[in-house]
Amino acid sequence: MKNAINYTIVATDPVAHLFEVTLTVDRPAPEGQIFWLPAWIPGSYMIREFARNIVHIRAESKAGPVALTKVDKHTWLAAPCDGRIVLTYEVYAWDLSVRAAHLDQTHGFFNGTSVFLCVQGQEYLPHVVDIRRPEGDEYKPWRVATALPELKARRYGFGTYIAQNYDELIDHPVELGTFELATFKAHGVPHDIVITGRVPNLDMARLAVDLKKVCEAQIALFEPKTKRAPMDRYVFMTMVVGDGYGGLEHRASTALICSRADLPVIGQKETSDGYRTYLGLCSHEYFHTWNVKRIKPAVFAPYDLRSEGYTSLLWLFEGLTSYYDDLMLVRTGLMDEQQYFKTLAKTVNGVLRGSGRTKQSVAESSFDAWVKYYRQDENAPNAIVSYYQKGALVGLGLDLTIREQTNGRKSLDDVMRALWLRYGRDFASMEQGLAEDDAEALFEEISGVRLKKFFDRYIRGTEDLPLDKLLAPFGVTVSDKRKDAKLGLGVRTTREGNDCKLASVYEGGAAHQAGLSAGDLLVALNGLRVTPTNLDALLSRYRAGDVVSIHAFRRDELMAFNVVLVQDDAPQVSFVSQEKPAATVRKRAKWLSVQAA
């Protein structure tokens, strides 16, 4: 296509996990053309240096080879040349995640940030991609799944696809292979479900019915009058593995990984916890279609994909999305109240378990995502707080506070709609982005509630949210049964072969006080072997205050520790919804019902 940046991508060697990409630039910069590959992908806030997977690269013009000089870890400069320049390069694709690229004989997947070099200065031009079928009869059944608009390709077919600019190009992941496919419409917009991987008796029809409910509820939340979605088509693409979980949002699609056991089985009507987890993941990533893909921090408008983009607002964009993901399941009848409060308790207990929540606010956690949240080590529970988990509790607290102080006239839903109208609905607002200091004022303006103390204590500060007080007006009581807890060492363990390994040692716990450290391999407790599964059973024969001898390997040295046993201080919060008085039941129903959307 003339006046466009043209790419061809083909899986040249699936066994070696190699894609070959050809990039054609009709009018390279006369002083020498610069090419670069993103260092990170939007939605995953860590420098990943995708250029390290480029195996080799060369450039040619009609006059012959063109010299390429590597400027830095992800940038190349092509020498000046007359006319068209063509780059050819191989990309190693063996990252089975939602963030990069993966290729073998069973399927191919890639995000544009991993495979498409950017032509500096020409990012605004249309970008055309020719996705070609691998050679070999075994690849004839393969199809293509992507939300990229087709140019000459047929839907799900190989051929050419088009993006209006580089930013759009890299925001449409692509799945290649033999996948299961189902389609439904949500308020008139086609939505595809693409499942890659072996899943016997997969109930695709149920998936379509359930996801339609979620998608329509979210569209109606942001556009209650028009029911208009911000995309013309949407694709849920899921890679199924034995044990896995994850997702990454895009403007008209999402890439997901889930466990095989989490997907519904034909003929089984009950809803497993795993299936609700999967639906919650889909709900989370779909909510991002509005909240972060279009409504976004000012620092992301536009993205600088060659260096970090620091923002203190990820609690809003990820945390509030985490609040709404399960809430939308309740509002659509895919999760009942009891299940919702059970899931909420898990989130609360996870936040309260680590002392890091007393040292880092969710605003600080947002800002430090690049160096802390995405680079967690064994000390993470003692040093950081999750802007996902505590951010979800902040969302809950804001919603309940606004509802209570306005007597139900306003809610967090109103704030989200205002964010959409001001920062996401049209191109000009998306280009502006939400400034770091504007969130509090907007929340107050739309709700009519003074929220400075809330922001100071729970967003900029490190106080625990008073969930008992927040939930009481809605007929929900909170209890913490940690006083009934069993004995514990104050650790998180993991299996390493046949050994029990300390993955984390919680600050102030019995193991910490005795000198045990993360990474230690437990060998014996009072002369009895410790295995990955029997630690709790061994501890159950003792009482608080007893001293036990624990032997453990640290590196290759056997060490002995005298541990004074105490009750495990892990929180055991639970929620119970009351059926009286009627007024509180009605308030809770308005909060959790589908009508609230």
Side-chain angles (χ1 to χ4, degrees):
M1 181 177 178
K2 292 187 68 174
N3 300 320
I5 305 300
N6 290 274
Y7 301 83
T8 297
I9 184 167
V10 60
T12 51
D13 193 342
V15 176
H17 322 301
L18 294 174
F19 283 109
E20 183 180 84
V21 182
T22 302
L23 166 56
T24 303
V25 183
D26 291 333
R27 296 182 178 86
E31 69 275 14
Q33 182 61 59
I34 292 176
F35 302 89
W36 55 270
L37 197 67
W40 62 282
I41 183 169
S44 184
Y45 307 107
M46 177 179 173
I47 296 297
R48 299 189 181 275
E49 299 171 345
F50 297 119
R52 63 191 171 87
N53 291 316
I54 293 182
V55 178
H56 70 77
I57 184 171
R58 67 180 187 274
E60 294 180 310
S61 70
K62 63 181 180 181
V66 176
L68 279 176
T69 302
K70 197 162 188 181
V71 178
D72 58 33
K73 60 187 176 183
H74 48 227
T75 308
W76 290 260
L77 172 63
C81 63
D82 292 329
R84 175 181 298 174
I85 186 172
V86 179
L87 265 65
T88 303
Y89 54 97
E90 280 188 336
V91 179
Y92 180 67
W94 196 234
D95 183 343
L96 187 58
S97 74
V98 297
R99 297 176 297 269
H102 188 262
L103 174 66
D104 62 14
Q105 306 96 306
T106 67
H107 91 122
F109 171 82
F110 60 84
N111 284 290
T113 45
S114 295
V115 297
F116 295 135
L117 283 166
C118 179
V119 184
Q120 184 163 306
Q122 302 191 40
E123 301 95 329
Y124 64 93
L125 292 174
H127 286 57
V128 174
V129 181
D130 185 1
I131 305 173
R132 296 188 178 178
R133 188 191 309 274
E135 293 186 0
D137 291 342
E138 65 270 36
Y139 302 113
K140 287 183 177 179
W142 278 27
R143 295 188 288 176
V144 177
T146 181
L148 262 174
E150 300 89 356
L151 183 60
K152 294 183 179 180
R154 293 184 177 182
R155 183 67 51 87
Y156 316 123
F158 289 88
T160 53
Y161 294 78
I162 187 168
Q164 294 306 306
N165 49 50
Y166 183 77
D167 185 55
E168 181 183 355
L169 172 72
I170 60 173
D171 210 9
H172 292 287
V174 176
E175 174 69 27
L176 313 171
T178 54
F179 43 77
E180 295 291 322
L181 175 66
T183 299
F184 64 90
K185 287 188 176 180
H187 290 307
V189 175
H191 288 60
D192 292 347
I193 305 170
V194 174
I195 305 290
T196 300
R198 298 181 184 179
V199 190
N201 296 315
L202 172 61
D203 195 340
M204 290 290 283
R206 183 177 181 185
L207 266 178
V209 169
D210 291 344
L211 286 179
K212 176 184 174 73
K213 296 176 182 177
V214 173
C215 295
E216 290 194 335
Q218 293 193 17
I219 293 170
L221 171 67
F222 287 97
E223 292 282 356
K225 294 182 179 179
T226 67
K227 305 294 192 301
R228 186 176 63 203
M231 81 299 283
D232 296 325
R233 175 173 169 254
Y234 193 90
V235 182
F236 291 95
M237 52 184 73
T238 302
M239 180 68 194
V240 182
V241 295
D243 184 19
Y245 177 86
L248 190 64
E249 69 275 3
H250 298 275
R251 67 180 63 190
S253 60
T254 180
L256 310 166
I257 286 183
C258 79
S259 299
R260 187 171 294 108
D262 291 347
L263 294 177
V265 179
I266 293 174
Q268 293 184 3
K269 295 183 179 180
E270 67 274 7
T271 301
S272 67
D273 289 342
Y275 183 43
R276 276 189 292 271
T277 297
Y278 175 75
L279 291 175
L281 176 63
C282 292
S283 177
H284 182 100
E285 304 305 338
Y286 194 73
F287 199 86
H288 275 315
T289 307
W290 294 268
N291 194 34
V292 90
K293 294 312 300 181
R294 289 166 174 84
I295 313 164
K296 62 182 65 173
V299 70
F300 293 166
Y303 292 105
D304 179 358
L305 295 177
R306 286 179 280 185
S307 62
E308 297 90 337
Y310 293 99
T311 174
S312 61
L313 296 175
L314 293 183
W315 64 266
L316 191 160
F317 292 99
E318 293 291 353
L320 299 196
T321 300
S322 296
Y323 168 61
Y324 273 102
D325 56 24
D326 285 330
L327 183 61
M328 300 310 291
L329 299 189
V330 182
R331 290 180 175 181
T332 53
L334 295 170
M335 178 184 285
D336 62 30
E337 276 191 25
Q338 182 179 0
Q339 292 159 348
Y340 176 68
F341 288 124
K342 180 180 177 182
T343 303
L344 179 61
K346 184 177 179 181
T347 300
V348 173
N349 291 331
V351 171
L352 295 180
R353 185 68 176 100
S355 60
R357 77 186 196 284
T358 67
K359 304 166 187 174
Q360 184 187 55
S361 70
V362 287
E364 292 168 334
S365 176
S366 300
F367 195 86
D368 288 340
W370 300 91
V371 294
K372 291 189 177 182
Y373 185 81
Y374 276 90
R375 294 182 175 180
Q376 294 188 34
D377 58 20
E378 63 283 346
N379 193 50
N382 304 319
I384 69 172
V385 70
S386 167
Y387 55 77
Y388 284 91
Q389 288 189 314
K390 188 173 181 181
L393 300 184
V394 165
L396 171 67
L398 285 168
D399 198 6
L400 298 181
T401 297
I402 294 169
R403 288 174 183 274
E404 181 62 13
Q405 294 195 24
T406 63
N407 197 27
R409 292 187 300 274
K410 295 287 184 177
S411 72
L412 189 59
D413 296 354
D414 296 290
V415 178
M416 298 309 302
R417 281 190 284 269
L419 284 165
W420 168 240
L421 292 175
R422 298 187 190 187
Y423 296 100
R425 197 182 196 192
D426 58 58
F427 180 78
S429 61
M430 278 194 290
E431 288 298 296
Q432 177 183 359
L434 178 63
E436 295 294 300
D437 297 329
D438 288 352
E440 180 182 335
L442 184 140
F443 274 70
E444 290 190 340
E445 175 196 343
I446 301 305
S447 68
V449 176
R450 290 285 295 167
L451 294 168
K452 184 179 186 304
K453 287 185 178 179
F454 189 101
F455 273 72
D456 284 344
R457 291 177 176 178
Y458 313 122
I459 296 174
R460 292 184 287 264
T462 60
E463 292 184 37
D464 294 331
L465 283 104
L467 294 179
D468 51 348
K469 295 181 180 179
L470 291 170
L471 286 164
F474 298 85
V476 181
T477 58
V478 183
S479 66
D480 187 345
K481 298 181 179 179
R482 75 180 73 192
K483 64 180 181 297
D484 302 322
K486 301 176 182 178
L487 293 180
L489 298 179
V491 298
R492 182 174 65 84
T493 64
T494 187
R495 175 187 289 270
E496 185 168 291
N498 293 321
D499 295 318
C500 181
K501 181 179 180 179
L502 298 186
S504 295
V505 174
Y506 295 109
E507 190 175 62
H512 171 218
Q513 298 294 338
L516 284 154
S517 297
D520 291 349
L521 298 179
L522 302 188
V523 176
L525 189 153
N526 276 356
L528 295 176
R529 182 187 176 191
V530 177
T531 72
T533 59
N534 73 347
L535 181 59
D536 287 342
L538 291 176
L539 291 172
S540 69
R541 305 193 69 84
Y542 299 92
R543 295 175 297 178
D546 287 349
V547 179
V548 297
S549 174
I550 290 182
H551 284 78
F553 274 110
R554 182 174 299 171
R555 298 177 294 276
D556 59 349
E557 298 178 17
L558 185 64
M559 303 177 70
F561 304 86
N562 291 321
V563 181
V564 180
L565 296 179
V566 296
Q567 285 184 323
D568 193 344
D569 195 38
Q572 296 187 42
V573 170
S574 62
F575 301 95
V576 179
S577 53
Q578 307 298 324
E579 296 308 316
K580 294 180 181 181
T584 60
V585 175
R586 285 194 297 269
K587 289 170 69 172
R588 186 171 71 247
K590 187 177 181 181
W591 162 40
L592 298 176
S593 69
V594 67
Q595 286 79 18

